[in-house]
């Protein structure tokens, strides 16, 4: 029995949107790479979309958040690579610090790279990102199915353009997991953590009230 199968019963008994217990994903190498979408109530509310690539979390700030509607082309601005452990971060970044504000893990899961070259051969995901177009399938708590990230500005010759000048689009693929009802993105104020079920407000309140105890 594989390690993955060994945890099947454990997982089936639990709703990981409601319990803080570990899901037990951080096991053997060779597992599917992970993704996380955090909601970050900073000076400007935004979603942070992160994909595990070669030992780091490649990251984009998505002001409106990922949509399940293929008609929504969502601006995604690259930010610095984050450590893998960041996918578990939920809490309050102190005011005045970089990114000060509350963070919740809105969605988490694994993804499957789908990029292929013209001959149908799989392209390493990192290279498809370098080339400015990557397709992948998400298997998250909330997000499912195909998505594409496409660079439409910046990203010139090696080292020629700073990451801050790049702009990408995050777009849902028109597959059977797509929606077309005009409600492809949740209200970030009402959205709940996929890890703890908490809203931004609840995380902020618990952080503010928890100072007295060790
Ligand atoms: Mn952020």
């Amino acid at each position: 029995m594989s390690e993955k199968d060994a945890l099947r019963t454990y997982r089936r008994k639990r709703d990981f949107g409601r319990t803080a217990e570990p899901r037990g994903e951080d096991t053997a190498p060779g597992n599917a790479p992970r993704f996380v979408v955090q909601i970050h109530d900073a000076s400007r509310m935004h979603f942070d979309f992160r994909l595990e690539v070669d030992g780091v979390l490649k990251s984009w700030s998505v002001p409106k958040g990922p949509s399940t509607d293929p008609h929504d082309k969502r601006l995604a601005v690259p930010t610095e690579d984050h450590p893998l452990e960041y996918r578990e971060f939920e809490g309050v970044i102190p005011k005045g610090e970089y990114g000060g504000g509350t963070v919740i893990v809105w969605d988490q899961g694994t993804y499957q790279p789908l990029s292929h070259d013209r001959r149908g051969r799989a392209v390493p995901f990192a290279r498809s990102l370098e080339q400015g177009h990557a397709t992948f399938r998400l298997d998250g708590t909330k997000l499912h199915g195909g998505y594409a990230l496409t660079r439409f500005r910046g990203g010139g010759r090696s080292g020629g353009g700073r990451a801050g000048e790049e702009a990408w689009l995050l777009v849902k693929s028109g597959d059977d997991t797509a929606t077309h009802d005009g409600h492809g993105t949740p209200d970030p104020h009402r959205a709940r953590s996929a890890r703890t079920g908490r809203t931004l407000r609840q995380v902020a309140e618990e952080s503010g009230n928890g100072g007295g105890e060790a």
Side-chain angles (χ1 to χ4, degrees):
M1 182 182 281
S2 75
E3 200 161 355
K4 206 170 186 177
D5 292 334
L7 287 173
R8 188 172 290 162
T9 304
Y10 173 89
R11 294 196 180 107
R12 194 168 53 220
K13 288 173 179 289
R14 290 165 174 81
D15 179 349
F16 292 103
R18 299 192 175 277
T19 176
E21 294 168 293
R23 195 184 154 83
E25 288 170 320
D26 202 358
T27 54
N31 279 358
R34 272 89 45 118
F35 81 95
V36 64
V37 183
Q38 284 150 320
I39 300 180
H40 189 180
D41 187 9
S43 50
R44 271 192 200 172
M45 180 78 76
H46 62 275
F47 292 65
D48 285 301
F49 187 83
R50 311 188 197 278
L51 299 170
E52 177 184 353
V53 182
D54 296 344
V56 297
L57 294 174
K58 292 287 175 189
S59 299
W60 290 260
S61 174
V62 184
K64 290 186 176 176
S67 177
T68 55
D69 186 332
H71 294 108
D72 293 332
K73 296 178 175 20
R74 291 294 158 80
L75 176 66
V77 178
T79 58
E80 73 274 26
D81 295 348
H82 279 52
L84 291 182
E85 295 90 330
Y86 206 87
R87 67 192 166 80
E88 300 181 357
F89 180 73
E90 186 163 276
V92 177
I93 301 170
K95 206 173 175 180
E97 297 299 311
Y98 180 73
T102 307
V103 176
I104 62 170
V105 173
W106 177 68
D107 197 16
Q108 60 184 356
T110 58
Y111 76 93
Q112 178 188 352
L114 296 178
S115 297
H116 291 80
D117 65 17
R118 286 178 196 161
R119 295 182 193 170
R121 292 179 303 199
V123 175
F125 198 70
R127 193 194 305 168
S128 66
L129 286 176
E130 281 167 22
Q131 293 171 345
H133 181 66
T135 54
F136 46 94
R137 183 177 296 129
L138 299 178
D139 182 14
T141 305
K142 293 164 182 163
L143 297 177
H144 305 279
Y147 279 82
L149 271 165
T150 306
R151 186 169 55 214
F152 68 93
R153 195 176 70 213
R157 276 150 268 140
S158 56
R162 287 183 315 224
E165 297 169 338
E166 287 187 22
W168 296 59
L169 291 174
L170 175 63
V171 183
K172 179 79 186 85
S173 305
D175 56 24
D176 61 3
T177 60
T179 63
H180 304 277
D181 60 4
H183 301 283
T185 312
D187 175 354
H189 294 284
R190 295 187 175 195
R192 290 184 178 274
S193 164
R195 293 183 67 86
T196 61
R198 296 180 296 173
T199 62
L200 282 167
R201 187 172 169 179
Q202 286 170 327
V203 170
E205 284 174 357
E206 286 172 26
S207 169
N209 295 338
E213 289 163 325

